Amino acid sequence: MTKCRYSLLAVACWLLTLAAYGQQPKVITRSTMIGFGGTNVLDTYLSEEHFSGPGLTFLATVERQRPDRHWSTLVEHEANVSTVKDRANSKQELEGAYNLYWGRLRSWLLADGRLRLQAGAVANASLGFIYNTSNSNNPAQARAHLNVMPTAVAHYSFRLFGLSVTARYEFNMPLVGIMFSPNYGQSYYEIFARGNYDHNVVPTTFVTAPEWRHALTVDTPVSKTLTLRLGYLGNMQQAKVNNLRQHVYTHRFLVGLTKRFSVIPK
């Protein structure tokens, strides 16, 4: 009976060992960056003027993929805040937004593994505001939209001055979505206090709410576990709905750190 127990225990340990070896580790690439640059804002609900000024962006990116699979999961958190003034330097607006991007990308390796191409789509949920400090009536505008965005990414690894360098380019543009917008001449008091709905949730396409978001970054190792990442992020958002026009253009120069590690799934 004792020998039978030892045999069963040995078989169980052997099966667990096989299962552990059969699981491929999940490779996680995580980067955290801060961006500085200019912002240009137009919102005809608040003002017909164009506003521009400096802005700050926080960008966190996480990509998860298993070596034996072609698909990866991409998650990005982007938070932005800007202080902008009109061309006469007499009026001021505050702009801020948070964007969550979640998507799936299919990968292809080319050029002996030096070139990695990815294509897929991400879902983008965005919340934000524009506040005009000079307006007494309707001083603020809420920003909210949900988009499906086709996405393409390219990575290329090479050596420069004896250093290992990886360049990465990401491009996103909306296909379809929905957004919140007051109608022309409609106040927020009418929407939320009196409950007067007037086409305030609007279906959008790449024609009515075009957006061009792209990022170019360059990575080079600074230690065995950390990589310095430098780059540029541009996000040009536009919308023309309910007889109102809005655009928020941001240009950011990025600096941050990237860490790549493996996790064996349980």
Side-chain angles (χ1 to χ4, degrees):
M1 190 69 176
T2 303
K3 291 183 178 181
C4 182
R5 289 178 179 176
Y6 281 122
S7 298
L8 291 174
L9 182 60
V11 170
C13 292
W14 178 67
L15 291 174
L16 290 173
T17 302
L18 286 179
Y21 277 106
Q23 288 183 323
Q24 290 288 334
K26 184 181 294 185
V27 179
I28 299 177
T29 304
R30 177 175 294 163
S31 67
T32 303
M33 289 171 286
I34 296 292
F36 306 89
T39 303
N40 186 281
V41 176
L42 169 69
D43 191 305
T44 57
Y45 181 78
L46 300 175
S47 173
E48 294 287 342
E49 276 289 337
H50 289 256
F51 291 73
S52 60
L56 174 69
T57 293
F58 171 81
L59 179 64
T61 302
V62 179
E63 184 176 2
R64 301 180 179 90
Q65 184 176 18
R66 293 183 181 178
D68 59 336
R69 298 183 182 180
H70 295 292
W71 288 90
S72 63
T73 300
L74 178 67
V75 181
E76 294 185 331
H77 301 271
E78 180 184 332
N80 176 77
V81 62
S82 303
T83 301
V84 292
K85 294 185 178 181
D86 66 351
R87 288 170 288 187
N89 205 31
S90 60
K91 297 181 181 181
Q92 181 175 337
E93 288 185 345
L94 301 177
E95 180 273 332
Y98 166 74
N99 285 273
L100 171 64
Y101 302 89
W102 183 96
R104 295 281 290 168
L105 302 175
R106 211 277 190 191
S107 301
W108 295 267
L109 291 178
L110 304 170
D112 297 326
R114 296 192 307 274
L115 177 62
R116 179 185 173 208
L117 300 178
Q118 297 174 280
V122 301
N124 166 223
S126 177
L127 291 173
F129 68 92
I130 301 173
Y131 175 69
N132 189 306
T133 59
S134 302
N135 286 4
S136 57
N137 186 30
N138 293 336
Q141 167 75 302
R143 301 171 60 202
H145 68 245
L146 180 64
N147 284 327
V148 176
M149 307 183 74
T151 298
V153 184
H155 310 250
Y156 185 70
S157 299
F158 57 97
R159 296 192 68 83
L160 181 65
F161 303 118
L163 297 175
S164 297
V165 178
T166 299
R168 179 183 185 273
Y169 178 75
E170 178 182 345
F171 172 77
N172 318 93
M173 66 176 296
L175 183 62
V176 293
I178 57 173
M179 71 174 295
F180 166 82
S181 174
N183 216 316
Y184 182 81
Q186 183 186 27
S187 68
Y188 277 81
Y189 173 79
E190 294 178 81
I191 300 173
F192 296 107
R194 303 184 63 179
N196 292 340
Y197 176 82
D198 188 10
H199 201 239
N200 301 126
V201 178
V202 186
T204 58
T205 67
F206 59 91
V207 176
T208 57
E211 180 178 346
W212 181 30
R213 180 180 184 264
H214 62 134
L216 175 63
T217 57
V218 176
D219 293 359
T220 184
V222 293
S223 71
K224 292 183 179 180
T225 58
L226 290 178
T227 298
L228 175 66
R229 174 169 286 188
L230 302 174
Y232 163 80
L233 172 67
N235 196 350
M236 278 60 77
Q237 302 179 15
Q238 301 180 58
K240 187 177 181 180
V241 297
N242 289 344
N243 297 309
L244 297 171
R245 292 182 296 120
Q246 181 187 103
H247 76 230
V248 178
Y249 303 149
T250 59
H251 302 275
R252 299 288 187 264
F253 294 98
L254 302 171
V255 58
L257 294 173
T258 300
K259 185 176 182 179
R260 181 171 179 166
F261 54 96
S262 299
V263 175
I264 297 177
K266 298 181 180 179

